[in-house]
Amino acid sequence: MGWQGNVLRVDLTAGTCKSEPLNMDWARAYIGQRGLGSRYLAAEVDPKIDALDPANKLIFATGPLTGTSAPTGGRSSAITKSPLTGAIAASNTGGMFGAEIKTAGWDMVIIEGRAASPVLLWIKDDQASLLPADKYWGQSVWAVEPAIKTQLAEPDAKVASIGRAGERGVRFACIVNDMDRAYGRSGVGAVMGSKNLKAIAVRGTRGVKVADPNAFIEAVAAAQAKVAPSPVKDRFEKYGTHPMMDVTNNYGALPTRNSREVQFEGTGKVNAASVRKIRPTDGKASLVTNKGCFACTIACGRIARIDRTHFSLNDKGKDSHYRKPSGGLEYESAFAFAPLLGIDDLEAATFANFVCNDEGMDPISLGGSIAAAMELFEEGAITSKDTGGIEIRFGNAEALVKLAELTGKAEGFGVDIGLGAQRLCEKYGRPEFSMTVKGQEFPGYDPRAMQGMGLAYATSNRGACHIRARPYAADFQSTSSEGKAAVVKDTQDLVAAIDSSGVCVFSANILAAGDYAAMVSAATGEDWSEQRYLEAGERTWNIERQFNLAAGLTRADDTLPKRNLETPAPSGAAKGMVNELDRMLPEYYTLRGWDDDGVPTGQILKRLGME
């Protein structure tokens, strides 16, 4: 129970959809979702293949708490080999889609091969079929999702689809579900596009059973008793993640102008307060309301509208979706389209975020790639001849708007932006301008002020990431690197377990490992002690590491850009400091039970049952 016990295997080459039993030994070792999907990927995919080869697989995985009443129990992951990094990708989404897969009776959907022409995967409980999707190819997410529901005559179906970015191989294309939620990072949408799979539609009516209903009700009630009165919940509900911009800016940890600076003078125009201000042009604020995912009482999602007088809407018809409220800015998208680019135009940033939802792109990577292009332009490595006449300079909101649309459609200089920052900078001979780890662009935290986050970026199995570890409290308490290795290692294991359970990592701001373990125990009928729960997270981290090593990544990939390691922070709490990765990394390897090259030793693999 908790697990449905079923896997749907879809062979796009053969055009078949078959059911098979879930590997319960693996489920008991890896819990579900991220961990279990990674175990399947490691067993079935050669890590050395090209990510866009039909032999790569795309696995949609749920956890034992997905689709239940557990707080934030609506999460699912897309696991594959990343076309952006060449490493393992496990991209997590909220919304309603993951719960629908689970309530249809499936723990996982494994996509393999490549269809001869575009297809739609339609899942209705235990029935699955592949339908032609030629008419949807070349259309955006916002056009396709409602059209699919109409075609199937299933208004309650949940849809995950790719836009033109995924079809055309943008390296950081994502898979968008429920119109504005996404399997966002590492280019999972490009893998889906390479398989000629335009969309997956799911309708589930079978529900999810738990092994011990009474114990589950008690465990959920205990968790909700912590969530409901929490000031953290109240803050997320009212403001989302956006207030973090003021925190990082004041601390000197806000990557600005491609991380050349760490504080932005224009935050007052693009921060959490700015989205609530009434605009004189239309008498409305940018923020419309908040929005929650399945089984979530926190509801940190934002719904926003663009100022109808803003230049970004000049070529949009009166019925354009861009003129209607939709998924708004959160901290990472706001940072990526404003301070990182030196832009203080809230409407332009919101427009770029709309484009990401509509065309299916990761806003962090899009912003990071445009930021790299702006530095390339200002340093003379590229000119207006390369960019099609666009003056790609820091602070240019018009350039952001143009490049977002061009990249989403993979047209003009957008093709180069779609390579991602690392490939873009290598192409134009200035690799040092790429603020990436393993080829994935930085989120909104500078590693010089936040030493632990720098180590988390460097060691993240999917490239630079802010939600693979939780060193925030330690980093904001001190700019010292002392003790950060242990914080990063321990929270990486916790996050991996949370991701594998089917709940949102944001709940970890309130709940502890024991709370999750209690809910997983009651749902599955297994005795999940806190130690066993965290060991499953540690096991997940190690299976991901093994995949990456087999793919050709080495210790040399556990690093940061020279800008973080050699150029001192120009201002803020860490003024004059660089990231001390050389001090933290050896300690981190020791704590992980890895050798000096970052390879898991026989001792740790034996302890985790992975030998």
Side-chain angles (χ1 to χ4, degrees), residues 117-410:
S117 58
V119 292
L120 159 68
L121 173 60
W122 168 224
I123 303 169
K124 187 170 184 179
D125 291 331
D126 60 351
Q127 301 297 310
S129 59
L130 292 167
L131 307 175
D134 302 77
K135 64 181 179 181
Y136 298 128
W137 204 255
Q139 294 188 41
S140 71
V141 168
W142 288 354
V144 165
E145 181 170 324
I148 287 174
K149 292 181 180 182
T150 299
Q151 175 189 335
L152 299 174
E154 289 281 357
D156 293 328
K158 305 301 181 288
V159 179
S161 63
I162 57 171
R164 284 170 281 206
E167 294 176 4
R168 299 172 186 178
V170 171
R171 292 278 174 171
F172 47 81
C174 65
I175 302 167
V176 179
N177 58 281
D178 305 294
M179 298 294 277
D180 58 18
R181 298 291 88 190
Y183 300 99
R185 304 222 69 193
S186 307
V188 294
V191 174
M192 189 161 159
S194 74
K195 295 183 174 300
N196 267 337
L197 178 61
K198 179 64 177 178
I200 302 173
V202 186
R203 181 72 181 107
T205 63
R206 302 180 67 178
V208 179
K209 294 181 180 180
V210 295
D212 189 335
N214 290 331
F216 189 72
I217 290 171
E218 290 180 7
V220 169
Q224 290 286 24
K226 289 185 177 182
V227 172
S230 169
V232 175
K233 172 196 175 294
D234 186 59
R235 185 169 64 250
F236 272 127
E237 184 177 7
K238 289 181 179 178
Y239 302 105
T241 59
H242 208 149
M244 182 59 74
M245 183 177 291
D246 290 322
V247 176
T248 54
N249 189 57
N250 292 336
Y251 195 60
L254 178 59
T256 299
R257 298 181 181 89
N258 203 33
S259 296
R260 297 195 302 193
E261 301 161 48
V262 293
Q263 292 177 304
F264 182 48
E265 69 282 0
T267 53
K269 295 182 178 180
V270 291
N271 62 4
S274 71
V275 301
R276 293 172 172 269
K277 292 180 180 178
I278 301 298
R279 298 178 295 228
T281 50
D282 63 359
K284 298 177 180 179
S286 175
L287 181 66
V288 176
T289 187
N290 65 324
K291 178 182 180 181
C293 301
F294 182 90
C296 181
T297 58
I298 298 174
C300 70
R302 306 289 97 179
I303 298 297
R305 61 167 70 87
I306 299 172
D307 182 350
R308 57 181 173 80
T309 68
H310 192 258
F311 72 85
S312 61
L313 299 181
N314 286 347
D315 63 346
K316 306 300 178 188
K318 64 179 181 179
D319 296 325
S320 170
H321 202 113
Y322 286 76
R323 292 186 177 275
K324 303 172 184 177
S326 193
L329 294 170
E330 299 171 20
Y331 172 60
E332 293 299 336
S333 52
F335 133 80
F337 296 139
L340 189 62
L341 307 180
I343 290 172
D344 61 8
D345 187 330
L346 180 67
E347 311 303 328
T350 303
F351 179 86
N353 194 62
F354 276 22
V355 173
C356 285
N357 291 334
D358 190 24
E359 297 293 358
M361 294 185 290
D362 170 19
I364 300 176
S365 285
L366 176 61
S369 300
I370 293 175
M374 287 179 168
E375 186 160 9
L376 287 168
F377 192 93
E378 293 203 346
E379 293 297 322
I382 58 176
T383 69
S384 57
K385 290 183 180 179
D386 301 301
T387 66
I390 305 172
E391 293 283 314
I392 307 180
R393 298 186 182 278
F394 290 115
N396 188 341
E398 289 81 4
L400 167 62
V401 167
K402 290 178 182 177
L403 290 174
E405 291 197 294
L406 286 173
T407 307
K409 298 174 183 176

